[in-house]
Amino acid sequence: MTETPNVPKYYRVRTELESILAELEVGDAIPAERELAVRFTVSRETVRQAIHELLVEGRVERRGRGTVVASPKLVQPLSLRSYTEGAVSQGRVPGRELVTFEELGADADLAEALGLAFGAPVIHLERVLLADDEKIGLESTHLPADRLGAMARRFDPGTSLYAAIRETGVVFASATERIETVLASPREAALLDSTTAMPMLRLHRVSLDTDGVPIERVRSLYRGDRIAFLTTLRE
């Protein structure tokens, strides 16, 4: 490995690893840390740091005791389309696992977001989002029970919530969405088969109908190593 002044060793190792990855296919194992340390004349800790960066970026993933080339990230458009529509458009098979389904009273923040009175009944639906059976996100949705409670009680949590809402005649017209980088709680990390050290993307969304009435408040947590978001900007 050629020495370059002022460039950390782990970064030089990472650059060499990227060349190795370019020659491999999805699912192929990369060389073991010990082998890479000898090849690049560095410590195993330096190799480990370089591999960790590639893990965070989703270029590689742990499988058993080894590390393999990861499949490409799911690219999800930022739009009023559902998760199902976005995944299918990428050629992926969407799925969901139910975590929580409950009716509760709106606290102050939720009441304000949904335009409800404090304590008004809301439906809370929490699901793990899957792409090709891989856990990539955790979605927590609150719906006004007076408006959508009957639909929610009949709803199959393994299917598209947006499709079910639209079938009631509700039309999604706009949404306000904020995206930020966070670390998962131990519970969230466990639900996503990840760790509390892996950066996550948290999306906060409030969707409105054509009359400007709130339909939902959603908090979605996505694995930063398995998903990216795409949007089109216009003047």
Side-chain angles (χ1 to χ4, degrees), residues 98-112:
L98 180 64
V99 178
T100 304
F101 180 82
E102 60 185 350
E103 184 169 325
L104 44 79
D107 61 19
D109 288 341
L110 188 55
E112 180 179 2

Side-chain angles (χ1 to χ4, degrees), residues 38-145:
V38 172
R39 182 187 303 190
F40 301 137
T41 320
V42 296
S43 68
R44 290 183 65 177
E45 180 59 35
T46 297
V47 172
R48 195 170 295 121
Q49 185 175 1
I51 292 175
H52 176 72
E53 285 205 353
L54 295 173
L55 280 167
V56 170
E57 291 184 9
R59 301 285 304 282
V60 299
E61 62 180 331
R62 300 292 189 192
R63 188 171 297 175
R65 294 187 175 182
T67 304
V68 303
V69 179
S71 58
K73 290 185 179 182
L74 172 65
V75 180
Q76 183 79 348
L78 287 174
S79 69
L80 288 174
R81 300 166 68 191
S82 69
Y83 166 73
T84 298
E85 294 168 318
V88 169
S89 71
Q90 295 291 310
R92 309 290 288 273
V93 179
R96 298 159 191 81
E97 293 180 356
L98 180 64
V99 178
T100 304
F101 180 82
E102 60 185 350
E103 184 169 325
L104 44 79
D107 61 19
D109 288 341
L110 188 55
E112 180 179 2
L114 292 178
L116 302 173
F118 178 81
V122 295
I123 300 295
H124 176 218
L125 181 66
E126 183 181 36
R127 298 180 294 171
V128 173
L129 303 179
L130 310 174
D132 298 333
D133 292 326
E134 181 180 27
K135 297 179 179 180
I136 65 169
L138 179 64
E139 182 182 78
S140 176
T141 303
H142 289 87
L143 305 166

